[in-house]
Amino acid sequence: MHRSRVAATAVLTAALTAAGMITSAPAQAAEGCRVDYKVTNQWPGGFTADVQVTNLGDAVNGWRLTWSFGAGQQVTASWGATATQSGAQVTAVNASWNAALGTGASTSFGFNANVTGSNPAPAAFALNGTACTGAPAPADPLARAHTAGRVTQDVRYSWPGIYFEGRVRGTGVGIVLDDANNDYDVQVDGTTVATLVTPGKTTHWVNGLSNTEHRVRLVKRTESTWAAGQFGGFVAAQGGQVLEKPAARTRQIEFIGDSQTVGYGNMSTQRDCSTNGGVNRNTNSDLSYGALTARSLNADYQVNAFSGLGMVRNYNGGSPNVTYRTYYDRALLHVEGDVWQNPGTWKPQLVVIGLGTNDFSTAINPGEPWTPESLVAAYKSAYQGFLDKLRTRYGAGTTILVSAHGSGTLPDAARQVVRDRNNQGDSRVRFWGYDGSAALDLLGCDWHFSARDHRLLSGSLADYIARLGLTW
């Protein structure tokens, strides 16, 4: 399995290269808005329209209203705003005298346009990127969105794989988001419809849906150990409705680990990612073995993984003053001393731990306080303390899998941790290792698991879980 080379890339990364895939325009957005659109005059081949914009959120100084025409209409002149058009997309930018819109304030502008045949009104508008639904964005984004992830009260988060799920009725859904560091997938009715690359502060809009009920899911693909993202809620297109959020699943699984658990570089088909977009563009935690396994079992999950960190020693001895255990309790990884406040709903029946690759993959450097024997001893002792923490937090009924793959010092030490725990009377700590390690291609960035490898690992893990006889 080339264990040393696999682990050699589980590096501590403070910033990763960024390249575009699909982006949303940045927003200096009001939190909500209303648009009243009226055709005031029509003649063969053309029409005049009046548009009133009302800001329902915070005051803005400078606004941009966007919409799409659905029947080939073409703007020819405008007043009260400068309207430009590219294809079906129209952008109207404020005049100098009506740039400021306070909370509750309105302004109007008009335009002439050519039209052939029918002249339907636009289906949706956005003000500075915020969907104009006639109501402010939700004050509590989680009131109508489900997540099992570690989020703060103002819905900020750092861990990879965080997801939000909602239900909406209507022809469109907006996703309110503030994150200039991470990549996301937007999924509607089980299909990925957009990938957002470091989108910034925006409302990403999915239009053209059938006028019925839809499931929408936003999932964080990447790591951001140095910064938080923030979710602002789902909003419906004009005339639509955000419905009650999906029910939480009864099954819960927590995945704890390093870059292999993150899904680091798993979408790449070559180990050197310097020429194909870098690590972030090739990482998708939603397709890591943990996420795949949880979804196959219809379980909610957390992916609490941090690249480059170990139980007692980090990759190549780096950052010796911290380890994975330094960060485990946090919601916001970059905030020293932060502690995630469990709302009382997170009670996983299963925890899967994959820590140790970074402890043992590289030779001990001069000046590090270890010998090979003392490192193994410290690893096993710290692991027992970490298991104690999990037992205190989740109780004796939670099954904990200690995982390590292949052969060598790490799996031997991990197996010994499990034997020692079992000898102490804790029979719900078990060892899981993938038996087919030779079949892994390790084509992810820097010799990490590829998407194919994650699927193989997920299948193995699901089979192992099926044999545990868990009472979900």
Side-chain angles (χ1 to χ4, degrees), residues 129 131 133 168 172-177 202-207 216 231-237 242:
T133 64
V168 63
V173 59
I175 298 98
V176 183
L177 189 60
T202 189
T203 298
H204 179 81
W205 195 253
V206 180
N207 285 317
V216 58
F231 173 66
F234 298 119
V235 291
V242 178

Side-chain angles (χ1 to χ4, degrees), residues 163-186:
Y163 58 90
F164 302 93
E165 298 172 325
R167 298 167 55 238
V168 63
R169 180 183 293 118
T171 59
V173 59
I175 298 98
V176 183
L177 189 60
D178 187 359
D179 192 343
N181 295 284
N182 287 285
D183 297 352
Y184 293 81
D185 277 346
V186 178

Side-chain angles (χ1 to χ4, degrees), residues 249-264:
R249 298 166 180 87
T250 58
R251 297 177 175 182
Q252 296 180 338
I253 308 175
E254 181 172 337
F255 297 93
I256 294 169
D258 51 32
S259 55
Q260 303 289 33
T261 304
V262 168
Y264 176 110

